[in-house]
Amino acid sequence: MKQDKQDCKIVQDLLPNYIENLTYDETNEYIRNHIAKCPKCAKVLNNMDAEIEIEPLNQDKEIKYLKGIRKRVKRTIAVVSLVIIITASCIIGYFYNKSKIQVNNYTFLRASYIKKNQEDAIDGNLYGTMIAVFDENKICKSVRVVEEGYKSENVQKQYNLINEFIDCYTNVMSIDNKLHYNTNYWNGQTKERIQNDWTENYIIIKLDEI
Ligand SMILES: [Zn+2]
């Protein structure tokens, strides 16, 4: 009995190395022989095996937990990105619409016309285009005119003439034998009034709203 107890002590001392496969074959045989007839040591070995199996289980849990965190982080990044994209779209859309509304407040009336029997003109005709700018109340703010067909020697003469009427004509320019200028004659008038005025006093080729 005393010998058995001694054996138990030795076997249990060796068991940690035995389960890690660090013991010699002869030692293993000795341990197995003892365990076969000693339920106490068999139980100790069983408990050790169980403990070893628990560890990888815990590792699995940890990996699952970490994977879970990674998933949650990915999901959070996706949601945050989506929110940022939507917010940015809204802000861009807001300013885009705002600028569009401001531009859309203005309307334009365009007329192409001919002035016949003009001495200064190459073929006796001057060809012009007028664009009137109206605000949201359809009140004229300015009219830009481009006239062409002048003989090149007469463009400067006409330019000087128009430039003298500084109250009526502004921003006068001579570009490639064409005269560009603003006329203030219709400023403050309604669209209907200007449309009538133009059709009565000009030979209109084309009149449209743009
Ligand atoms: Zn034993």
Side-chain angles (χ1 to χ4, degrees):
M1 196 63 184
K2 202 184 172 195
Q3 179 60 42
D4 279 355
K5 262 194 175 173
Q6 194 80 23
D7 282 351
C8 285
K9 263 191 179 174
I10 293 165
V11 166
Q12 286 176 24
D13 195 37
L14 288 170
L15 279 182
N17 286 334
Y18 169 74
I19 58 171
E20 299 271 354
N21 289 323
L22 298 174
T23 40
Y24 292 114
D25 287 344
E26 294 83 355
T27 315
N28 293 343
E29 212 183 317
Y30 164 74
I31 291 169
R32 276 185 211 118
N33 285 336
H34 176 83
I35 294 242
K37 53 186 182 176
C38 175
K40 207 173 128 194
C41 287
K43 203 180 167 188
V44 171
L45 177 64
N46 268 340
N47 287 344
M48 277 184 173
D49 281 345
E51 266 177 44
I52 279 179
E53 274 169 22
I54 282 168
E55 239 175 74
L57 248 171
N58 281 344
Q59 272 182 1
D60 264 9
K61 266 190 189 170
E62 246 170 74
I63 288 166
K64 272 186 189 165
Y65 176 71
L66 287 175
K67 277 184 179 172
I69 286 181
R70 208 183 295 165
K71 239 185 209 174
R72 257 173 283 156
V73 167
K74 274 185 185 173
R75 208 178 300 151
T76 309
I77 289 171
V79 169
V80 168
S81 305
L82 198 65
V83 169
I84 289 172
I85 288 167
I86 290 171
T87 311
S89 306
C90 288
I91 291 170
I92 290 167
Y94 172 75
F95 282 109
Y96 177 71
N97 282 331
K98 211 180 162 193
S99 64
K100 222 164 100 178
I101 286 163
Q102 282 172 346
V103 169
N104 282 346
N105 280 343
Y106 290 91
T107 52
F108 310 90
L109 191 63
R110 177 175 59 186
S112 303
Y113 61 86
I114 298 181
K115 282 182 182 170
K116 292 193 169 174
N117 305 318
Q118 301 291 311
E119 277 181 24
D120 294 343
I122 297 167
D123 65 356
N125 297 327
L126 287 178
Y127 303 90
T129 300
M130 300 183 283
I131 296 176
V133 181
F134 298 91
D135 67 7
E136 64 272 22
N137 300 316
K138 293 188 176 180
I139 298 299
C140 179
K141 291 293 164 187
S142 71
V143 177
R144 187 71 175 163
V145 181
V146 182
E147 270 180 348
E148 58 184 302
Y150 289 103
K151 292 173 188 163
S152 57
E153 65 266 28
N154 288 333
V155 172
Q156 192 58 40
K157 204 179 88 186
Q158 191 65 23
Y159 173 88
N160 293 337
L161 192 71
I162 289 176
N163 246 338
E164 276 178 31
F165 298 95
I166 209 160
D167 291 336
C168 291
Y169 306 110
T170 51
N171 296 319
V172 184
M173 286 187 276
S174 164
I175 305 167
D176 298 334
N177 290 337
K178 294 173 192 171
L179 278 183
H180 299 242
Y181 56 90
N182 281 19
T183 168
N184 302 321
Y185 182 73
W186 291 288
N187 289 2
Q189 294 190 15
T190 63
K191 193 182 273 186
E192 286 73 21
R193 173 91 188 271
I194 291 173
Q195 206 163 331
N196 289 338
D197 218 3
W198 286 1
T199 34
E200 276 175 28
N201 297 300
Y202 288 82
I203 303 167
I204 300 287
I205 299 165
K206 194 179 169 193
L207 182 70
D208 55 358
E209 289 195 36
I210 52 175

